[in-house]
Amino acid sequence: MSQFSLNEKSYQKILSFMDDIKVEDNNFRKEVLLAFEKLFGFHKMNFWLCDEQNNLFDPVTINIDKDITKDYLDNYLEADPVLPHKLKHIIPKRRVIGLLDLPKIEYEKNEYFNSFMKKYGIYNNTAIFLVKDSQVVGLVDISSRNKKKINENKVMCLEIISRYLAQRFHEHLLLKKTGNFFFENSLTPREREVLRYVQKGFSNKQIADMLFISVNTVKKHVQSLYDKFEVNNRTSLCFKVHNFEN
């Protein structure tokens, strides 16, 4: 990639993207894709999770038919040349790699290109690798009917964004894990029972009757939940629990 300076418009796009991304957002991956669509005009995208063995799974998609994703997962995933384990020699230096960046011989005779991409009218696929501590933790892939590469200015923007996004995505995953740990280790079995009934809208009296305990005991459990979640009413409790769980 040649050396050049980003213009003011590109800087503003990067800053706008950063402003749009919220670690605590329940729909973090979907919001990332929507931000890419709004700011860069990308249309068909997947946001994949990636495990420690560099396997992709659980995609969140926008503007891609479910049947296409299923066909890819069932029949063509391993034929895809733009996968983390196939590009591990490139990823340390570059985070944005397109199919058209590879030597033609690597994809033009490839089953993925000829049997899958052409079937759905896709002629380019660009992957944005999210790397944290040398491990790929996620991947955003952009499909295009355009036979040209993404222009160099956009690629540079995406290279910068990929570093920022990797850190934010790591924080998002950590936040979700922290929430699960909290539920498993900080609440007593009875508190979890009471909490589920509170979430369903039952009163203290109804909860007491269903659990065969006194109303005062239910009140003590509810107050304990308030203290642990740092809230002071049922509505705030349910809202905070919902954020933890999602």
Side-chain angles (χ1 to χ4, degrees):
M1 187 181 297
S2 61
Q3 296 295 318
F4 70 98
S5 298
L6 291 174
N7 57 36
E8 180 65 23
K9 186 177 180 180
S10 295
Y11 278 119
Q12 288 303 317
K13 283 185 177 182
I14 293 170
L15 293 175
S16 294
F17 184 93
M18 292 177 175
D19 287 340
D20 283 350
I21 302 307
K22 304 291 186 293
V23 167
E24 66 277 8
D25 198 316
N26 293 336
N27 298 311
F28 180 89
R29 289 192 286 161
K30 187 67 169 284
E31 292 303 317
V32 166
L33 298 183
L34 292 173
F36 276 130
E37 183 178 40
K38 179 180 76 172
L39 295 168
F40 294 95
F42 302 137
H43 187 58
K44 298 179 181 292
M45 289 175 283
N46 296 296
F47 192 150
W48 300 84
L49 297 178
C50 188
D51 65 20
E52 293 181 357
Q53 287 72 46
N54 285 325
N55 298 309
L56 301 182
F57 65 100
D58 189 25
V60 169
T61 69
I62 63 168
N63 304 316
I64 295 178
D65 191 281
K66 291 181 179 179
D67 290 339
I68 296 178
T69 301
K70 185 177 187 304
D71 191 17
Y72 173 79
L73 287 169
D74 291 346
N75 303 304
Y76 298 102
L77 175 60
E78 284 308 312
D80 187 347
V82 189
L83 290 175
H85 69 274
K86 295 180 180 180
L87 298 174
K88 58 185 178 182
H89 59 295
I90 300 177
I91 293 172
K93 297 178 181 179
R94 296 172 57 188
R95 300 290 191 270
V96 182
I97 304 169
L99 187 69
L100 299 183
D101 293 324
L102 304 177
K104 283 189 176 183
I105 194 170
E106 288 191 25
Y107 68 84
E108 284 196 337
K109 295 182 179 180
N110 188 291
E111 178 189 12
Y112 174 72
F113 182 76
N114 288 292
S115 300
F116 176 74
M117 291 181 66
K118 285 186 176 180
K119 177 166 63 173
Y120 295 110
I122 301 169
Y123 292 96
N124 191 16
N125 194 67
T126 300
I128 304 171
F129 294 93
L130 308 182
V131 181
K132 175 65 178 173
D133 298 329
S134 301
Q135 170 67 44
V136 177
V137 294
L139 183 154
V140 176
D141 76 67
I142 305 159
S143 298
S144 172
R145 295 181 182 275
N146 195 325
K147 296 183 180 181
K148 295 181 180 179
K149 297 180 182 180
I150 294 176
N151 72 59
E152 198 169 20
N153 197 280
K154 280 187 179 179
V155 170
M156 182 59 72
C157 289
L158 297 179
E159 286 283 354
I160 295 169
I161 285 173
S162 69
R163 272 73 172 177
Y164 170 81
L165 185 55
Q167 177 62 35
R168 301 298 279 172
F169 187 44
H170 173 73
E171 292 170 5
H172 171 73
L173 294 176
L174 190 61
L175 185 64
K176 293 190 73 171
K177 288 180 181 178
T178 302
N180 292 335
F181 180 85
F182 182 85
F183 275 104
E184 293 170 4
N185 296 276
S186 298
L187 303 184
T188 67
R190 183 63 89 187
E191 284 172 345
R192 286 197 287 269
E193 283 184 300
V194 171
L195 176 58
R196 295 310 172 208
Y197 285 123
V198 169
Q199 287 180 290
K200 293 177 181 178
F202 291 110
S203 67
N204 288 345
K205 176 67 167 61
Q206 290 172 315
I207 296 172
D209 290 343
M210 287 184 285
L211 296 180
F212 302 102
I213 56 179
S214 71
V215 172
N216 282 338
T217 299
V218 173
K219 288 180 179 179
K220 288 179 181 178
H221 286 310
V222 171
Q223 185 58 53
S224 178
L225 290 168
Y226 287 173
D227 294 340
K228 289 181 177 180
F229 283 95
E230 299 180 344
V231 297
N232 54 22
N233 59 66
R234 273 169 144 81
T235 301
S236 297
L237 174 64
C238 292
F239 179 78
K240 200 161 190 177
V241 170
H242 176 76
N243 283 341
F244 266 131
E245 292 181 322
N246 294 279

